[in-house]
Amino acid sequence: MSLFNGTEKKEAIKRFEAAKDHYEEASKVINQEVVELYTTRKEGAELVKQTEDLLKSVSGINPDFIISVADARASISFFLDSMETEEAALANGSSGKAVGAAALGTAAGAAIATFGASTAMAVVTTFGTAATGTAISALSGAAATNAALAVLGGGALAAGGGGIAAGSAVLAAIPVIGWTIGGAAAVGGGILVAKKNKKCADEANHKASELESSTSSIKAVTYKISACNSKLAKAIKKLGKRVESEAKPSFTDIELIDITRTVDTICELINEKFPLQ
């Protein structure tokens, strides 16, 4: 029985270590996709503003088209607030790194210690769900992004926000930024090996199952994020060709309808959230 349990223990630890490696790799990939999507979204938001300004400068345009673009831009106010918060952080010479993360007293605090303002905003605008299930955007615009940076930036950027206490609500939105948040590091091989054979095998298999499930969820969400980024880039390219001409612009109603529809698409993709299950 002891020999059998010893073999079972080794196999369970081997499974756990493999699951941990796969989880960490999936986390790295989704991190990259999140930052890439945020970069594309910033480009889209700036193009929407440019489009609105352009239409306002062209005489004879039906004002309904201008109103449509203005309304679409208003719909991404949370994202625009996030951009302003990030820019303010960088302008103040702060990287937004979580210098006070240790105050959280959690594994998450350690895992996010190297976050910067841009990464923080990428996370918030991509996942957008607080621990309670409430959308971060519902926390109220810029105050929400300040709260996010309060927890990610150790409170240095919390002016006007809710501080670390309020910012802690975003932690549930970042279970893949720093794989230790998933608990893998807390049950590393060394700790498992120290346990008795049967207990070790059971715990290792349990943790492996959790990580395998999380990895599947992460990969599914990564696919959705990547698809959104591709659609957004395509819409940006299409709109850019319409509004970035050096010649004095002149649009037919059909072209204006296409422009407003493309703006709507861009704003919908900027607002799309991808909460992890």
Side-chain angles (χ1 to χ4, degrees):
M1 180 64 71
S2 176
L3 179 61
F4 172 78
N5 286 340
T7 301
E8 185 180 27
K9 174 180 177 178
K10 290 179 181 178
E11 290 300 317
I13 291 176
K14 183 178 178 180
R15 177 190 172 193
F16 167 79
E17 293 294 346
K20 184 183 69 173
D21 289 344
H22 293 155
Y23 183 96
E24 185 175 13
E25 181 58 32
S27 296
K28 290 178 181 178
V29 173
I30 198 172
N31 292 350
Q32 293 170 354
E33 293 291 344
V34 165
V35 173
E36 287 179 12
L37 177 60
Y38 181 60
T39 300
T40 306
R41 283 176 164 176
K42 288 198 291 185
E43 182 182 353
E46 290 165 357
L47 184 57
V48 169
K49 181 181 183 301
Q50 180 183 344
T51 301
E52 182 182 356
D53 292 341
L54 176 64
L55 295 187
K56 288 179 179 178
S57 72
V58 178
S59 61
I61 284 184
N62 185 328
D64 287 345
F65 292 115
I66 299 175
I67 292 172
S68 176
V69 173
D71 287 345
R73 185 170 174 238
S75 75
I76 59 171
S77 60
F78 176 66
F79 187 84
L80 296 173
D81 287 341
S82 300
M83 288 176 59
E84 289 181 5
T85 302
E86 175 200 358
E87 290 169 4
L90 298 176
N92 289 334
S94 170
S95 66
K97 289 185 178 180
V99 294
L104 294 173
T106 64
I112 65 177
T114 59
F115 281 14
S118 297
T119 304
M121 291 301 94
V123 168
V124 171
T125 56
T126 300
F127 298 114
T129 303
T132 60
T134 302
I136 291 174
S137 55
L139 296 178
S140 182
T145 53
N146 282 336
L149 283 179
V151 68
L152 298 173
L157 303 173
I164 288 179
S168 63
V170 306
L171 285 179
I174 53 172
V176 297
I177 308 294
W179 62 274
T180 55
I181 295 176
V187 287
I191 295 176
L192 288 172
V193 169
K195 295 180 181 293
K196 292 183 178 180
N197 287 353
K198 184 65 169 66
K199 186 175 182 179
C200 170
D202 289 345
E203 184 170 347
N205 279 319
H206 176 70
K207 293 297 181 183
S209 294
E210 288 184 343
L211 289 172
E212 288 163 356
S213 177
S214 294
T215 299
S216 295
S217 296
I218 289 170
K219 287 183 176 180
V221 174
T222 300
Y223 176 82
K224 293 178 181 178
I225 293 172
S226 178
C228 178
N229 195 28
S230 296
K231 291 177 184 177
L232 181 56
K234 184 177 180 179
I236 289 171
K237 183 177 180 179
K238 178 180 178 181
L239 183 61
K241 289 181 178 179
R242 289 284 194 188
V243 304
E244 293 179 349
S245 172
E246 294 182 3
K248 185 175 180 179
S250 176
F251 304 108
T252 66
D253 281 356
I254 292 177
E255 289 173 330
L256 288 168
I257 289 172
D258 187 54
I259 286 173
T260 54
R261 285 178 176 173
T262 306
V263 166
D264 285 342
T265 296
I266 289 173
C267 290
E268 287 172 3
L269 292 170
I270 287 175
N271 281 330
E272 188 171 356
K273 300 294 185 293
F274 304 90
L276 287 152
Q277 302 299 319

